Amino acid sequence: MSSLVTLFDKTFEPFLPELLIQEKISELASLINNDYTGKKPLFIAILNGSFMFASDLFKQIDIEAEICFIKLASYKGTKSTGQVITAIGLDIDINDRHVIIIEDIIDTGKTLNQFLPQLQHQQPASLKIAVLLHKPEATIYPVPIDYCCFSIPNKFVLGYGLDYDGYGRNLKEIYQLKTVE
Ligand code: IMP
Ligand code: MG
């Protein structure tokens, strides 16, 4: 595994190696292949952060399935009540479909907590959530997580699609903010 990564004012250290990430994704894909046989699920990947996870996960799906992408942005104002806006919307009818949301990370839970009711409103046949990372200690808005690769401590992470101010998404492994000694 490679060494430290510095972006702007912050230094990150290796946390989850590429091979481990790929192993966990394969395990998760097997579960989904099993659970959704014959159901023609529709994966909805949430941009930007989930693009790498969505790609690697979808490559391991060997049942009939579709994938589409939406873009959500959450704006944290000066107050703690932020708004989640849809920057690129859903262009596919999810009524009666078995939907699986693909998200990079559940942090506070705000993004999905606000977005899920919009999907439920369209009455999918089922709605489940697959996430690469979950920070249980940071989650204050409840989100039902059905498939999760890693539960991680409440520290900022970078790489494999996740960014710090737009950069670092291209790293193949996941890094964690280095604690100052
Ligand atoms: P939420 O707080 O669960 O709504 O997370 C909102 C979004 O913030 C996630 O989908 C990620 O794109 C981003 N995010 C949360 N935690 C991290 C992190 O540790 N590193 C990079 N992006 C993060
Ligand atoms: Mg995201």
Side-chain angles (χ1 to χ4, degrees):
M1 204 157 167
S2 38
S3 48
L4 301 181
V5 166
T6 300
L7 276 181
F8 309 108
D9 55 331
K10 300 212 182 328
T11 301
F12 298 86
E13 58 193 356
F15 178 46
L16 301 171
E18 190 181 356
L19 208 65
L20 182 63
I21 297 170
Q22 296 303 333
E23 270 172 28
K24 285 280 179 188
I25 292 175
S26 291
E27 284 172 29
L28 201 142
S30 301
L31 291 175
I32 294 176
N33 285 329
N34 227 32
D35 293 350
Y36 285 86
T37 308
K39 292 185 171 174
K40 298 188 178 178
L42 169 66
F43 291 83
I44 301 178
I46 302 180
L47 297 171
N48 293 325
S50 77
F51 78 98
M52 257 190 214
F53 173 44
S55 171
D56 284 342
L57 175 66
F58 200 60
K59 276 185 263 182
Q60 307 271 353
I61 296 299
D62 58 16
I63 55 170
E64 271 186 283
E66 282 184 88
I67 189 166
C68 67
F69 299 84
I70 59 165
K71 184 169 183 177
L72 300 179
S74 96
Y75 288 92
K76 296 184 175 93
T78 45
K79 298 203 174 120
S80 58
T81 51
Q83 275 297 315
V84 174
I85 63 138
T86 310
I88 300 174
L90 198 57
D91 60 356
I92 194 162
D93 184 9
I94 65 163
N95 184 248
D96 261 337
R97 295 295 305 267
H98 291 282
V99 173
I100 304 167
I101 305 286
I102 305 181
E103 175 64 307
D104 53 354
I105 184 166
I106 307 282
D107 183 31
T108 65
K110 187 175 67 187
T111 309
L112 282 187
N113 180 279
Q114 289 195 13
F115 182 63
L116 286 179
Q118 294 179 38
L119 293 182
Q120 290 287 13
H121 189 70
Q122 299 181 48
Q123 300 186 312
S126 66
L127 181 58
K128 291 203 173 177
I129 297 171
V131 296
L132 178 68
L133 306 166
H134 179 213
K135 291 181 187 167
E137 296 155 36
T139 308
I140 48 176
Y141 301 86
V143 174
I145 302 171
D146 302 283
Y147 303 98
C148 176
C149 289
F150 301 96
S151 270
I152 61 167
N154 190 10
K155 274 191 186 177
F156 192 82
V157 286
L158 176 79
Y160 195 71
L162 293 122
D163 70 305
Y164 172 48
D165 247 357
Y167 290 87
R169 295 191 195 276
N170 48 332
L171 295 164
K172 291 185 184 68
E173 53 226 355
I174 294 173
Y175 290 74
Q176 194 176 52
L177 188 62
K178 194 173 182 324
T179 3
V180 184
E181 283 140 28

